[in-house]
Amino acid sequence: MARKVILDMDPGIDDAVALCLALADPRLEVIAVTATGGNVSPRQATRNVQAIIERIDPPRWPRIGAAESEQLLRTDARELYGAEGLGDAEFTVAELHNRHPSVKVLSEELRQAPGEITVVCSGPLSNLSALFQREPETAAMISELIVVGGSVAVGGNITAAAEFNIYCDAEAAQRVLRAKVPTTVVTLDATQKLVLRYDLLDMLRSRETRTAKLLAAILPGLYHIYRQRYGMEGVYLHDVAGVVAAMHPELFTTKALYGEVEVTGELTHGATVFDRRPQPEGAPNMDVALELDAAAVRDCIFRGLDHGE
Ligand code: RIB
Ligand code: CA
């Protein structure tokens, strides 16, 4: 029985790779993809979700949720992912007139299958936060929440202290992580242990599938920036780790921790603070992925993207 998932994402190149992997994997049934602003504006994120799904054209299209245009975010990642969020590639998309808001799609699908759906959030947590504010009862309808974000011991990536997804909407992250949903947070401590090198790009360039053609068009710019800016011969694909965590949780080492989000600090705004003392202040409220089996996760990514549509 395939695992029902809703992907809440802000494409973003690594979100795009994660979406392609999820759509290709028979272990996952992607019920919906709900866009959120983050890497790019809410409108651009919605367009990118639609552009990716149109190009992959999976046998069964997931519902698409539109990010709310008035979403307030602290920053974006266009410097890393390109002006439109998918590298140097520019995609035209059909204008979908009857787009449903992401929060409405989340609510409807969770109410239709309470206790059956895993929500994987690979962008800021604004949509779930808004849903829990408007319809608090929906939190209990989520079977499991997987959040790509936060950090324990490696500091931040958008500031010295904060990881991007949490930083963009820290108040939303605070509300969602306090909502008592069974949650796994895939932190930078785990995702930065996997560098995808040029062999991934080489593999994609050698294939003729729709997945390979799309990703071969959007990934090169990211490799260039990682080499230029960070001196790395490869890239992090943080969100892909989040989807692999839904496919193969056994590849991740997690620890139950009590954690909170800093929302008032000047230097630490958006930092995730985990109490790792012998007697923590609060009971553990999430499972935190600190390690991953890099070789096995890499193999899962290569196999999944090589057999995509
Ligand atoms: O910190 C990594 C996260 O920030 C990823 O979700 C990436 O897409 C960016 O949004
Ligand atoms: Ca993302």
Side-chain angles (χ1 to χ4, degrees):
M1 178 82 160
R3 183 175 192 175
K4 294 178 189 286
V5 296
I6 293 177
L7 305 178
D8 189 67
M9 15 180 56
D10 64 330
I13 294 175
D14 59 336
D15 304 79
V17 181
L19 176 50
C20 290
L21 189 66
L23 290 173
D25 195 278
R27 277 169 291 241
L28 300 181
E29 180 187 352
V30 185
I31 304 287
V33 183
T34 50
T36 172
N39 286 321
V40 290
S41 68
R43 179 177 180 278
Q44 188 64 53
T46 305
R47 287 174 58 86
N48 289 348
V49 167
Q50 185 182 328
I52 295 160
I53 292 172
E54 282 180 351
R55 270 145 199 83
I56 300 301
D57 191 17
R60 187 172 173 279
W61 277 43
R63 288 186 69 186
I64 296 174
E68 300 192 3
S69 54
E70 63 279 1
Q71 188 181 0
L72 297 175
L73 297 157
R74 286 178 79 95
T75 184
D76 65 45
R78 286 175 292 171
E79 269 190 20
L80 190 58
Y81 294 121
E84 298 189 355
L86 295 178
D88 305 325
E90 289 182 5
F91 298 107
T92 53
V93 290
E95 280 310 314
L96 280 187
H97 300 295
N98 61 340
R99 274 185 188 144
H100 295 289
S102 290
V103 175
K104 183 174 188 294
V105 172
L106 280 158
S107 173
E108 289 173 351
E109 295 303 331
L110 288 170
R111 291 178 183 283
Q112 197 163 333
E116 297 179 32
I117 295 175
T118 295
V119 178
V120 181
C121 292
S122 64
L125 297 174
S126 311
N127 287 330
L128 275 190
S129 173
L131 177 63
F132 293 172
Q133 274 183 294
R134 299 174 199 171
E135 304 171 47
E137 67 278 13
T138 55
M141 298 176 187
I142 297 175
S143 169
E144 182 184 0
L145 172 61
I146 296 174
V147 171
V148 178
S151 70
V152 179
V154 298
N157 57 1
I158 190 66
T159 71
E163 177 280 327
F164 180 87
N165 288 336
I166 308 299
Y167 177 81
C168 269
D169 192 343
E171 290 77 7
Q174 183 184 58
R175 177 176 291 109
V176 170
L177 296 179
R178 286 179 171 174
K180 301 194 186 335
V181 177
T183 299
T184 300
V185 181
V186 181
T187 63
L188 293 180
D189 303 72
T191 65
Q192 291 184 165
K193 291 194 170 69
L194 174 62
V195 177
L196 281 304
R197 304 203 182 281
Y198 292 98
D199 54 347
L200 175 63
L201 208 44
D202 295 343
M203 183 275 281
L204 293 168
R205 283 171 166 160
S206 69
R207 300 292 189 273
E208 289 301 316
T209 63
R210 292 192 293 272
T211 295
K213 286 177 182 170
L214 170 65
L215 297 184
I218 70 174
L219 270 167
L222 190 64
Y223 279 84
H224 176 71
I225 285 181
Y226 265 79
R227 171 184 274 181
Q228 238 191 1
R229 187 181 297 181
Y230 308 120
M232 286 174 60
E233 296 300 317
V235 296
Y236 296 134
L237 295 176
H238 307 277
D239 300 335
V240 178
V243 164
V244 175
M247 296 155 64
H248 292 289
E250 73 280 3
L251 300 182
F252 294 75
T253 305
T254 62
K255 187 172 173 56
L257 291 173
Y258 169 61
E260 288 281 3
V261 177
E262 172 62 76
V263 295
T264 57
E266 185 184 338
L267 299 176
T268 57
H269 183 90
T272 47
V273 182
F274 291 98
D275 193 340
R276 292 177 286 161
R277 294 174 295 179
Q279 278 75 41
E281 191 167 316
N285 57 346
M286 63 191 91
D287 288 331
V288 181
L290 295 161
E291 303 283 344
L292 52 71
D293 178 340
V297 172
R298 184 195 323 279
D299 183 48
C300 173
I301 295 168
F302 272 69
R303 277 187 288 107
L305 294 179
D306 193 5
H307 293 83
E309 288 294 325

